[in-house]
Amino acid sequence: MRLLLLNALLICLPVYSQLLAAQEHATDEKAIKVQDTTDDKAISARLLAITSAISGMEQITANTESGVLTLSGEVANAQLKDEALAIARRLDGVVYVQDMLQEQLAVRSRLAPAAEKFEQMLTKAVQMLPLLVLALLAVLCFSWLGGWLARHSTWLRRFGLSELASNLGVRFIRVLVTGIGVLIALELLDATALVSAALGVAGVIGIALGFAFRNIVENYLAGVLLSTRNPFAIGDQIQVGEFTGSVVRLTSRDTVLMTYDGNHLRIPNSDIITLAMTNFSRNPLRRFQFNAGVSVSLDLVKVRQLGIATLANMPGILPDPPPRCLIDELGDSAVALKFFGWIDQRNTDFLKARSEAIRLVKSAFDDAGIEMPEPIYRIHMADMTNAEPPGSTEATTSSQQAARQDVDVTTDDTMQQQLQTELRTSDEENLLTKHSNSKS
């Protein structure tokens, strides 16, 4: 019996639940009574009172029926249309807003707001005229001050700055002083907010220009460093990478060399800074060297003495430091000797001295019977045990006498003459001072 009652209860529970749900749904669908609802005429009157107070919405008409607000008429532009619809939707008692507004297409209606804004701006400009005059005077005064400092820039030289570095400093000071005047003018006009925007735009433009003119900026800054450090002067013989020549001028972008062929060679200043540079003119003393090969059967001590004596008696070779001869390499058929000699470049030409040294050593070896073999193999059948090695005293004396005859090691002023002609005829900027050894 209990089991039957339990089954009947389980069957009746779903039916009871459905009955409760149907009753709640019927209750929800009943009409909701609203008290103190806003009258339709009051809604229309309220909207018209608002739109009549807004410029550009004066021609809007409103009609409300059962909470449905219909807007009609004309507005000045699309923005005012959206604003009118937004105001209508926020009114109390409005159920739905029907849009029947139209934009004014007449030229006069479109120009009226612009004319009104222009009139307001003109009125404001007239009111701010005294401040505009003060701001203009501030910019002009600081600009004049920057120009005066630029014209009296000799005080920068007292810090040891070069001409190019002084010019760069003058430009920076002038821009800085003028910028201070502009900031004061903006502060007077209460337009300091423009400074942040201007700095942002200037930063973006600066980055773009930095990438676009990166090489030019690098060369200019390198020129400033070179003019400050002065690693060379006019007329100095330098080597940069694979290029060699005499310095003609230093510009803000490149360094001009005159090659030994008489050609003008322009090297970017950034390469002068980054590449290894050799200045052959800073030290008036310069050493030349050359190689010579002799037979392996000779007495190398006497051969060295003969070569050193020949160089020591050659005009233009300095006795201190003395000439030297070193055994460089031992080959299959010859011994490689390396000769060194020092000259004073102020009195002796480097290339001439080296050329004459090679010629005289060759002549001395020939006179002494010193063989300078070719790279071939020879078989000597004679007994050389008791043979006198070549290089007698007479040969040494004759070679020393020959060294004093017909030797021309005087300085060659061809490059100097061309360099002076270039300096006199060219009006290109030159950031270098004249070399103390160059002839005027």
Side-chain angles (χ1 to χ4, degrees):
M1 189 65 173
R2 292 179 180 178
L3 183 59
L4 291 174
L5 290 175
L6 182 61
N7 291 333
L9 181 60
L10 291 176
I11 294 172
C12 292
L13 280 176
V15 176
Y16 181 72
S17 299
Q18 291 178 0
L19 291 175
L20 289 177
Q23 185 177 2
E24 291 179 358
H25 182 67
T27 305
D28 293 339
E29 288 182 349
K30 288 182 180 179
I32 301 175
K33 218 181 244 191
V34 179
Q35 296 180 356
D36 299 332
T37 57
T38 305
D39 185 69
D40 292 340
K41 293 182 179 180
I43 295 174
S44 300
R46 178 58 176 164
L47 179 63
L48 292 177
I50 295 173
T51 56
S52 61
I54 300 175
S55 176
M57 296 186 184
E58 298 88 348
Q59 300 183 14
I60 293 179
T61 59
N63 183 25
T64 306
E65 185 177 352
S66 301
V68 178
L69 178 59
T70 303
L71 296 181
S72 59
E74 294 183 348
V75 290
N77 50 51
Q79 181 180 359
L80 292 177
K81 179 180 177 181
D82 295 337
E83 292 177 357
L85 294 174
I87 294 172
R89 293 187 183 98
R90 292 199 302 269
L91 291 176
D92 187 20
V94 175
V95 179
Y96 180 77
V97 177
Q98 189 172 1
D99 179 19
M100 298 183 65
L101 294 173
Q102 295 181 355
E103 298 181 27
Q104 295 178 355
L105 300 179
V107 176
R108 179 179 299 180
S109 61
R110 288 300 180 94
L111 292 179
E116 185 178 353
K117 290 183 179 178
F118 179 77
E119 184 178 356
Q120 294 176 357
M121 292 174 59
L122 184 60
T123 304
K124 187 176 181 181
V126 172
Q127 295 174 353
M128 294 184 63
L129 188 59
L131 294 177
L132 288 174
V133 173
L134 290 177
L136 182 60
L137 288 177
V139 174
L140 292 178
C141 290
F142 277 87
S143 178
W144 176 85
L145 179 60
W148 184 84
L149 292 175
R151 291 189 298 271
H152 299 77
S153 60
T154 54
W155 57 275
L156 290 175
R157 298 292 185 89
R158 299 177 183 177
F159 294 98
L161 298 178
S162 62
E163 181 179 358
L164 185 59
S166 300
N167 293 336
L168 182 61
V170 165
R171 294 176 183 176
F172 176 76
I173 292 174
R174 185 169 186 175
V175 171
L176 180 62
V177 173
T178 306
I180 293 175
V182 173
L183 288 177
I184 294 176
L186 293 176
E187 183 67 27
L188 291 174
L189 297 176
D190 196 17
T192 53
L194 295 176
V195 178
S196 300
L199 291 177
V201 173
V204 174
I205 295 176
I207 293 174
L209 292 178
F211 280 105
F213 301 99
R214 179 175 59 88
N215 293 332
I216 296 177
V217 175
E218 286 181 355
N219 291 327
Y220 186 85
L221 295 179
V224 173
L225 294 177
L226 289 175
S227 61
T228 303
R229 295 170 53 191
N230 293 323
F232 46 72
I234 297 176
D236 283 357
Q237 296 183 11
I238 65 172
Q239 180 178 358
V240 181
E242 59 180 358
F243 304 110
T244 305
S246 299
V247 178
V248 178
R249 65 175 54 87
L250 171 66
T251 67
S252 58
R253 186 180 183 277
D254 48 30
T255 301
V256 182
L257 303 183
M258 181 176 290
T259 64
Y260 296 140
D261 298 329
N263 298 322
H264 282 65
L265 175 64
R266 292 183 177 270
I267 303 177
N269 290 332
S270 58
D271 291 343
I272 301 290
I273 288 291
T274 56
L275 297 179
M277 183 189 69
T278 303
N279 192 332
F280 300 106
S281 301
R282 279 300 172 94
N283 184 6
L285 303 185
R286 187 175 177 183
R287 189 185 72 173
F288 66 85
Q289 66 182 42
F290 62 91
N291 298 331
V294 298
S295 175
V296 295
S297 62
L298 299 177
D299 187 349
L300 298 181
V301 175
K302 294 184 177 181
V303 171
R304 289 176 55 193
Q305 291 176 352
L306 177 60
I308 293 174
T310 302
L311 294 179
N313 287 276
M314 173 183 162
I317 302 296
L318 298 178
D320 186 22
R324 301 176 62 188
C325 177
L326 301 177
I327 300 175
D328 187 48
E329 186 177 6
L330 179 62
D332 296 333
S333 59
V335 178
L337 304 179
K338 182 173 289 187
F339 292 91
F340 301 91
W342 288 86
I343 65 167
D344 189 343
Q345 297 184 94
R346 295 170 292 187
N347 305 318
T348 305
D349 187 82
F350 176 80
L351 297 178
K352 287 183 178 180
R354 184 176 183 275
S355 175
E356 289 297 321
I358 295 174
R359 182 182 67 85
L360 293 177
V361 170
K362 170 66 168 56
S363 299
F365 284 180
D366 291 342
D367 295 340
I370 296 177
E371 184 180 6
M372 304 178 68
E374 299 175 356
I376 59 176
Y377 294 98
R378 298 181 181 180
I379 300 176
H380 297 273
M381 303 300 295
D383 186 5
M384 300 297 295
T385 304
N386 298 323
E388 183 69 21
S392 60
T393 306
E394 294 79 4
T396 303
T397 304
S398 62
S399 63
Q400 293 175 358
Q401 294 176 354
R404 296 184 177 90
Q405 299 175 358
D406 301 330
V407 176
D408 179 18
V409 293
T410 57
T411 55
D412 188 357
D413 59 350
T414 303
M415 291 294 298
Q416 287 293 336
Q417 293 177 2
Q418 296 187 28
L419 189 144
Q420 295 301 325
T421 302
E422 168 66 21
L423 293 176
R424 287 194 303 267
T425 57
S426 177
D427 57 353
E428 188 176 4
E429 66 168 343
N430 196 345
L431 305 176
L432 298 176
T433 57
K434 196 172 184 181
H435 191 266
S436 58
N437 293 332
S438 60
K439 298 179 181 180
S440 56

